[in-house]
Amino acid sequence: MNTQLVNSIVQVVQALPADEQTALLAVLNRLIQPSVTPQADRPEPATAESNDEAWAIWESLGDDAIPGTLDNVSVYHDCYLYTGEQDV
């Protein structure tokens, strides 16, 4: 992206009166339409059954945890989660 060009455009738009800014926004919105995903490419919505299974997995995450195995939990919590190692 050309940052200098974008900044120049922003300055010009800010210099316009409010009604001209509104008119420009309407024109730009017509020119730049968001791409619409075809129905066939959209992911399937979650079913109640898959939601129930996901919640069951989430609720079971700490069932077999071993307490007291992580020193300095407040310091190394994320490191332990992402790497499985206690030492940094």
Side-chain angles (χ1 to χ4, degrees), residues 9-86:
I9 293 171
V10 168
Q11 288 177 351
V12 169
V13 170
Q14 289 174 338
L16 293 173
D19 59 331
E20 290 181 12
Q21 285 182 6
T22 304
L24 177 60
L25 183 59
V27 171
L28 291 174
N29 283 334
R30 281 193 305 270
L31 290 174
I32 306 170
Q33 293 293 325
S35 62
V36 177
T37 306
Q39 185 68 28
D41 293 344
R42 293 184 184 169
E44 291 292 322
T47 63
E49 182 179 294
S50 66
N51 284 341
D52 292 341
E53 183 182 351
W55 278 113
I57 292 169
W58 172 258
E59 291 170 344
S60 71
L61 287 177
D63 289 350
D64 56 354
I66 302 168
T69 59
L70 181 59
D71 297 330
N72 295 322
V73 175
S74 62
V75 176
Y76 298 118
H77 182 262
D78 290 342
C79 180
Y80 180 72
L81 284 177
Y82 300 124
T83 65
E85 298 174 9
Q86 292 182 6

